[in-house]
Amino acid sequence: MPTRVQVALDTPLPRLFDYRLPDGIRMPDAGTLIEVPFGRTRQVGVALGAPTDSTIETTKLRDVLRVLDDRPPVSAGILRLAQFCADYYHYPLGAILLATLPPRLRNASPFVADTPWLVVTAAGRLAEPAPRAKAQRALLAALLATPQHRETLRAQKQARHAAALVAAGWAVWERLPPAMPAAPDTAPAPAATPEQQIALDALLPALDRFGVHLVHGVTGSGKTELYLRLIAAVFEAGRQALVLVPEIALTPQLEQHFRTRFPGRRIVALHSGLGETRRAENWLAAPDCDLLLGTRLSVFAPLPRLGLVVVDEEHDSSFKQQDGLRYSARDVAIARGKQTNAPVVLGSATPSLESYAQARAGRYRLVELKQRAVRHARLPEIELVDLRHVPLDNGLSRPALAALQATFARGEQSLVFLNRRGYAPALYCPSCAWVAPCPRCSARLVLHRHTRRLHCHHCGYETPVPHECPDCGNPDLKPLGQGTQRLEETLAAFLPAARIRRIDRDTMRPRAWAELGESMRAREIDLLVGTQMLAKGHDFPDMTLALILDTDGALYSPDFRATERLFAQLMQVAGRAGRADKPGRVLIQTAFPDHPLFRHLQRHDYAAYAKLLLAERRQLDLPPYSRQVLLRAEAPAMDAALAFLHRAVAVAPALPGVAVFTPAPANMARVANMERAQVLVQSASRQALQAFVRDWRPQLDTIRPRVARWSVDIDPLMF
Ligand code: ADP
Ligand code: ZN
Ligand code: ZN
């Protein structure tokens, strides 16, 4: 009889822990959640079976406290996926396993999932309620047709009758309604376009096995429609589909779309915008669902019959987690597809260069949709306003204002993008040139008008607007530059009759997106002003003008991915204009109209621009032609952060083909009173780099003195 068990715990140490199994607790299956004492606290951990080698005497081990049998064990598939992540990202297995669970299931207090669906039982199908019990008879008849949700029953004052049916054994409360095959007339799928048909002919026969398929389709080409058909085929085969999206804000919209198309299917959403209880419930429901729709963490959800993973907007950087386990959900999705022999479909109008290069090399299948699905919908004209020759009035040029006015006069809608929240990006003293700095970051404070406060968008620091310049005493401080709030004000003064809505992180919660869509379609808005978050995946049919202000910072940024990202954003924005039968127009204000990015953008030619960028990357040995790892260190003083990194470089293994660069301060050197530095390691070979980090990682733990924080980022996206 084994008396000890190996446990994965959420600790920074890359190791497992042994515990004793007291009498009466049998060896739990691998993946079982258990509670154990740890230091002076208790922790939830994942049991991983009997240890293979253990040097500590059993009597010295502490006892397992209890088995959490109110929740299912972590499945073998997820254990395997977590192990892959532990190896690839060089992160502790226990920390990964616990992070994959919804927060509510990471604590030991018993969890009882809600069962909101009233479903008729076999006995209920044969039952004959007394003729006097009219309400019960009616409810039972309703249940025979379709399960009822508790909320609906409550609204109809049926709760008492529901309870009576349950007491009689004629109905039960369940977590999910039973799946019903969709009635043929409830799925009004449009006939596939010729391009979609070619894509389907290629993809449908490949659904029975692993493979990565990159769907490169211009905005509006019907990628979503393509996913829907693939998903339908997966359902037919009795399997599950996982759809990953970058933004919480996009899930309700997409969820609704899927529900209308697949009315009988069990569709579950998973994202951090849900309350803790809902998240836990949905996670527990995942194994029985047909379709799971969620943000990056859903890639770890239990789906025993997984038959397809779709990663929509695969280029989006929010698939990469920027702290803790710095994983890319897109890459983990591919690993999962490989482990479970399920196909992975990546979709985007502007694929990441990493994925595009794989497709061009033939490792991913490339599927292209070059035309918009709706007949007559054309891609918009993209015009540049050359700021070297055209003056600005409060950030807006004359051609831009004229276009706004004309669009408004025609009764159509416009979109104005500015990637800066707040009123003005800086507060400035005209007499001595002082600019309000964040005392904790190497950043300027942003002026927010309605609160009369200065905010740091990096660390959250806030302070009232000073009455005078702290350097020279000048009381006449001025806002410098434009933020979305100030832009809204400027536009309101220019077009007083227009109904303007500002959309940015200051005004939006996930729920508000659905309402925004409705207001737009109901034509209650003439002018939308907002940050790039507006660009993602929203479909506003009457929007015919998109105005883009101030993108120039990204053209000459030190981040080598900045132009790739800007191109993707601008293509996305351009995709917002003129989606239906009205032609669209995009106006971009720039002082660099000769930049090659714009030339390709104007031709809507992603492929040509990607080729150009890839050639540059190859010449400079940058990803995707090399692999990178970034070691970051943070300390109150820059010297300490750099000293740590220099020691890290000194203990680095010497491996041929792996280049270790010189430690340097980060682009944003100070955030929240911490100085940040980093050192880049690069290799043409993923295997060589992995071998390097395997040797290096344990050395880093031994470096003294330590720093406040350090982390290893595999395939870093932000520098
Ligand atoms: P994407 O995801 O590529 O941006 P969508 O799938 O959202 O494109 O499709 C864009 C528009 O085209 C939507 O209004 C959609 O209903 C419509 N559409 C897609 N496929 C078809 C089709 N085969 N026939 C008619 N309309 C279609
Ligand atoms: Zn001053
Ligand atoms: Zn700050």
Side-chain angles (χ1 to χ4, degrees):
M1 263 304 270
T3 51
R4 51 174 77 199
V5 59
Q6 206 167 33
V7 184
L9 291 169
D10 184 6
T11 72
L13 305 171
R15 51 160 291 203
L16 302 172
F17 298 84
D18 289 355
Y19 283 87
R20 202 182 75 91
L21 283 169
D23 295 343
I25 296 190
R26 290 212 326 228
M27 174 61 83
D29 291 337
T32 302
L33 294 165
I34 59 177
E35 194 182 18
V36 295
F38 189 76
R40 259 169 293 165
T41 63
R42 297 165 154 219
Q43 271 209 25
V44 171
V46 179
L48 294 177
T52 43
D53 55 340
S54 188
T55 46
I56 307 166
E57 286 169 46
T58 307
T59 51
K60 297 220 174 106
L61 293 177
R62 299 176 77 181
D63 280 3
V64 169
L65 296 172
R66 63 200 172 100
V67 172
L68 305 177
D69 46 17
D70 59 333
R71 56 205 81 178
V74 177
S75 70
I78 298 301
L79 285 176
R80 209 150 36 112
L81 189 64
Q83 187 61 55
F84 161 82
C85 289
D87 296 340
Y88 185 74
Y89 292 110
H90 303 272
Y91 202 74
L93 178 65
I96 296 173
L97 281 170
L98 273 298
T100 68
L101 295 174
R104 178 60 187 81
L105 298 179
R106 277 176 231 161
N107 78 51
S109 55
F111 183 77
V112 183
D114 190 16
T115 48
W117 289 96
L118 189 63
V119 178
V120 69
T121 60
R125 291 189 180 280
L126 305 172
E128 269 297 330
R132 284 178 293 107
K134 281 214 191 75
Q136 280 181 37
R137 288 177 78 95
L139 180 55
L140 194 59
L143 286 182
L144 282 167
T146 178
Q148 304 282 318
H149 196 275
R150 195 196 314 270
E151 305 276 299
T152 322
L153 294 172
R154 238 180 238 149
Q156 296 169 352
K157 309 223 181 308
Q158 298 263 20
R160 201 160 45 86
H161 309 304
L165 294 188
V166 171
W170 296 338
V172 284
W173 292 106
E174 296 205 338
R175 199 157 65 202
L176 283 176
M180 297 174 298
D185 59 324
T186 49
T193 63
E195 278 188 325
Q196 283 170 338
Q197 194 54 52
I198 292 171
L200 287 167
D201 291 343
L203 293 174
L204 286 172
L207 287 183
D208 61 346
R209 60 188 176 275
F210 170 69
V212 185
H213 312 279
L214 177 62
V215 178
H216 171 215
V218 298
T219 40
S221 60
K223 291 184 291 297
T224 313
E225 184 57 43
L226 189 63
Y227 306 152
L228 286 166
R229 284 161 184 265
L230 298 175
I231 291 166
V234 168
F235 289 169
E236 285 306 311
R239 303 184 71 182
Q240 298 172 299
L242 167 64
V243 176
L244 297 174
V245 293
E247 273 282 326
I248 299 174
L250 295 181
T251 50
Q253 202 182 356
L254 210 52
E255 189 181 345
Q256 195 44 47
H257 199 51
F258 286 147
R259 283 196 196 287
T260 342
R261 183 60 77 84
F262 303 119
R265 299 294 180 173
R266 295 165 152 184
I267 298 172
V268 169
L270 213 50
H271 55 78
S272 58
L274 299 171
E276 281 205 358
T277 307
R278 271 301 289 284
R279 237 173 113 184
E281 280 172 352
N282 289 4
W283 190 87
L284 290 171
D288 299 317
C289 78
D290 296 306
L291 174 77
L292 181 70
L293 172 67
T295 46
R296 62 174 178 249
L297 206 56
S298 322
V299 75
F300 294 105
L303 296 163
R305 292 172 290 115
L306 185 62
L308 170 68
V309 187
V310 173
V311 184
D312 192 22
E313 309 290 354
E314 68 90 28
H315 65 279
D316 199 294
S317 51
S318 50
F319 283 122
K320 167 93 181 177
Q321 175 144 312
Q322 304 291 358
D323 53 16
L325 172 64
R326 292 169 163 79
Y327 69 103
S328 152
R330 176 192 64 214
D331 297 348
V332 175
I334 293 171
R336 186 166 185 181
K338 200 169 191 171
Q339 288 185 343
T340 54
N341 198 25
V344 180
V345 170
L346 310 178
S348 174
T350 50
S352 64
L353 290 180
E354 278 77 5
S355 300
Y356 196 62
Q358 295 280 16
R360 284 182 18 129
R363 283 184 291 270
Y364 297 174
R365 180 204 304 263
L366 184 62
V367 173
E368 293 187 294
L369 303 175
K370 296 183 171 166
Q371 252 121 49
R372 290 192 156 185
V374 177
R375 244 177 304 155
H376 311 307
R378 278 177 297 123
L379 291 166
E381 289 288 322
I382 298 174
E383 298 155 56
L384 303 177
V385 179
D386 185 347
L387 295 185
R388 292 170 308 180
H389 305 301
V390 179
L392 287 180
D393 177 7
N394 277 311
L396 290 162
S397 65
R398 193 159 289 272
L401 290 170
L404 284 170
Q405 193 145 43
T407 309
F408 178 59
R410 280 199 308 275
E412 294 169 3
Q413 296 168 315
S414 307
L415 195 56
V416 185
F417 281 95
L418 177 63
N419 230 0
R420 272 188 314 239
R421 292 183 292 130
Y423 184 79
L427 184 68
Y428 162 79
C429 168
S431 84
C432 79
W434 172 85
V435 178
C438 174
R440 313 196 297 175
C441 303
S442 38
R444 290 168 175 178
L445 292 174
V446 177
L447 176 63
H448 282 238
R449 186 58 162 258
H450 46 282
T451 51
R452 294 289 302 160
R453 289 173 87 77
L454 297 168
H455 293 234
C456 175
H457 286 183
H458 298 278
C459 72
Y461 175 85
E462 268 186 46
T463 182
V465 172
H467 296 295
E468 52 179 41
C469 171
D471 279 8
C472 75
N474 172 15
D476 194 18
L477 299 173
K478 295 269 191 250
L480 189 67
Q482 295 268 340
T484 45
Q485 293 171 7
R486 191 177 192 188
L487 179 62
E488 182 185 14
E489 208 176 271
T490 308
L491 289 168
F494 176 70
L495 286 174
R499 293 157 302 173
I500 303 179
R501 180 83 60 87
R502 174 169 56 86
I503 304 294
D504 55 34
R505 213 172 316 150
D506 298 324
T507 65
M508 291 304 273
R509 282 152 291 101
R511 291 279 155 237
W513 284 104
E515 291 156 32
L516 175 67
E518 277 161 33
S519 308
M520 286 298 285
R521 274 181 284 281
R523 310 298 309 274
E524 293 159 9
I525 300 173
D526 300 306
L527 205 62
L528 262 185
V529 178
T531 54
Q532 295 286 357
M533 72 187 287
L534 253 184
K536 289 184 188 174
H538 299 281
D539 194 357
F540 305 130
D542 290 315
M543 168 92 56
T544 57
L545 174 68
L547 189 62
I548 297 156
L549 313 179
D550 206 43
T551 57
D552 290 351
L555 293 176
Y556 297 97
S557 152
D559 182 342
F560 71 87
R561 284 195 181 85
T563 45
E564 177 188 350
R565 253 179 240 132
L566 177 62
F567 189 80
Q569 284 183 342
L570 294 180
M571 285 283 272
Q572 198 102 46
V573 173
R576 296 304 109 207
R579 284 181 56 116
D581 46 356
K582 300 190 190 95
R585 195 173 165 206
V586 177
L587 229 61
I588 303 173
Q589 296 188 162
T590 175
F592 304 96
D594 302 326
H595 195 285
L597 182 145
F598 293 123
R599 196 168 62 242
H600 293 99
L601 186 73
Q602 285 181 302
R603 297 186 192 136
H604 300 275
D605 197 347
Y606 164 85
Y609 193 51
K611 220 163 135 186
L612 182 84
L613 290 179
L614 283 172
E616 270 174 31
R617 301 269 182 96
R618 190 188 284 283
Q619 194 157 31
L620 298 172
D621 264 338
L622 288 169
Y625 301 105
S626 66
R627 300 279 172 176
Q628 297 183 325
V629 171
L630 196 65
L631 173 64
R632 294 193 179 85
E634 290 180 33
M638 182 54 82
D639 283 354
L642 286 171
F644 177 88
L645 295 177
H646 280 292
R647 268 180 218 110
V649 171
V651 298
L655 265 184
V658 177
V660 181
F661 289 73
T662 310
N667 287 339
M668 174 96 189
R670 205 160 101 94
V671 174
N673 281 334
M674 281 289 175
E675 301 282 344
R676 313 191 311 164
Q678 58 199 31
V679 60
L680 184 67
V681 183
Q682 189 170 303
S683 173
S685 150
R686 179 193 288 238
Q687 285 75 18
L689 196 57
Q690 280 289 327
F692 173 93
V693 181
R694 247 191 321 277
D695 279 3
W696 197 31
R697 177 66 187 72
Q699 304 283 333
L700 301 176
D701 286 314
T702 67
I703 296 176
R704 298 290 180 275
R706 295 182 220 246
V707 279
R709 265 197 296 272
W710 59 267
S711 62
V712 174
D713 190 350
I714 309 287
D715 307 327
L717 270 193
M718 304 289 179
F719 290 86

